[in-house]
Amino acid sequence: MKLTCLGSGSAGNCYLLHNETECLVIEAGIPFKEVKKALDFNINKIVGVLVSHEHGDHAIYLHEYIKGGIPVMAPSMERVTGALSAVSKPFSVRTFPLVHDVPCTGFLIEHSEIGRLLFVTDTEYVRYRFKSLNHIMIECNYSQDLLGKSYHEGLQERIKLTHMELDTCKDFIRANKSQELKSVCLMHLSDRTSDEKLFQKEISELVECPVYVANNGLEYEI
């Protein structure tokens, strides 16, 4: 199975977990037509869409999936979508609350080909620990040092309460890594307050597996 990143950040977020016959779309912040292109227009293999929260860079194109009859799991957006559908097997998805300025959800995704994949974005921190994770997709939005140099104090406080800082990300990975961990993907890096090479280096020092940064066009086997 492959992970393909079609966007990660304030301009739009969308990730595909897919093989030849199945695809799980995570986040709907990129036009559906771009997802179609990435799947060679084989949209019949989309088994469902997961959306973490209602902000536009994660959910603005959700209506396109709903209109197309594709199952949607958006627990924090039930009041917006009006319904909560189960994502079809063979993916199993469990949800847990995150810490953002609107209701936001993390996902623990299981599939026979990939094992247990954790997806966490747009949160100050994660309250929980997870056993035997095989893959971690996690926000690493900013570093405190770069934040202080880039924004006034008021905006700094909002970012601190809604997004994950480098040291918080490192603490989470230390607490949840195991011998079964096969990949880490850093998501939602800020254009102004992150350092991609530094973040990748510091996370790589914590784990014995590949560490990727979710730039547009990233694709790797998981």
Side-chain angles (χ1 to χ4, degrees):
M1 185 167 291
K2 294 180 180 179
L3 171 67
T4 300
C5 173
L6 301 183
S8 184
S10 58
N13 296 269
C14 185
Y15 313 88
L16 309 179
L17 286 173
H18 60 111
N19 56 24
E20 291 185 0
T21 59
E22 306 152 0
C23 176
L24 180 64
V25 180
I26 309 175
E27 308 288 41
I30 297 293
F32 190 25
K33 64 181 180 181
E34 298 302 323
V35 174
K36 293 177 181 178
K37 290 178 184 177
L39 298 176
D40 293 325
F41 296 91
N42 184 13
I43 63 172
N44 289 330
K45 72 178 186 177
I46 300 177
V47 300
V49 184
L50 308 180
V51 175
S52 61
H53 64 291
E54 66 185 56
H55 285 160
D57 57 328
H58 296 262
I60 191 170
Y61 296 102
L62 181 59
H63 67 281
E64 296 184 359
Y65 296 94
I66 296 173
K67 184 177 179 180
I70 296 171
V72 169
M73 180 179 280
S76 58
M77 290 183 60
E78 190 170 1
R79 64 180 180 81
V80 178
T81 62
L84 178 63
S85 301
V87 171
S88 302
K89 293 181 178 181
F91 289 93
S92 171
V93 181
R94 283 182 279 178
T95 65
F96 52 95
L98 298 175
V99 183
H100 200 47
D101 56 359
V102 298
C104 189
T105 304
F107 301 104
L108 180 61
I109 302 164
E110 296 187 59
H111 186 283
S112 60
E113 289 188 22
I114 65 174
R116 292 160 56 86
L117 182 150
L118 190 77
F119 181 92
V120 170
T121 191
D122 287 58
T123 187
E124 181 185 1
Y125 59 90
V126 181
R127 298 186 177 98
Y128 313 101
R129 289 191 177 186
F130 302 85
K131 295 181 179 179
S132 303
L133 294 176
N134 302 110
H135 306 278
I136 296 175
M137 298 178 67
I138 188 166
E139 177 181 50
C140 194
N141 184 257
Y142 70 97
S143 71
Q144 181 59 47
D145 180 54
L146 292 173
L147 183 68
K149 296 175 181 178
S150 302
Y151 293 112
H152 60 78
E153 186 173 344
L155 188 52
Q156 286 183 41
E157 289 306 308
R158 180 195 176 276
I159 292 171
K160 289 178 183 178
L161 294 173
T162 56
H163 292 283
M164 187 174 289
E165 199 266 344
L166 171 62
D167 286 337
T168 304
C169 179
K170 290 167 66 175
D171 288 343
F172 178 85
I173 289 174
R174 286 191 192 99
N176 291 275
K177 68 179 182 178
S178 68
Q179 293 182 342
E180 290 85 5
L181 188 61
K182 297 178 181 178
S183 72
V184 174
C185 183
L186 305 180
M187 305 184 295
H188 215 293
L189 275 68
S190 166
D191 291 337
R192 293 180 61 178
T193 58
S194 70
D195 182 328
E196 177 180 324
K197 292 183 179 179
L198 175 65
F199 287 15
Q200 189 173 31
K201 176 179 179 294
E202 293 202 11
I203 300 299
S204 294
E205 291 171 352
L206 303 178
V207 296
E208 297 180 1
C209 65
V211 176
Y212 302 93
V213 176
N215 292 314
N216 187 9
L218 172 71
E219 184 170 272
Y220 61 94
E221 294 283 345
I222 60 173

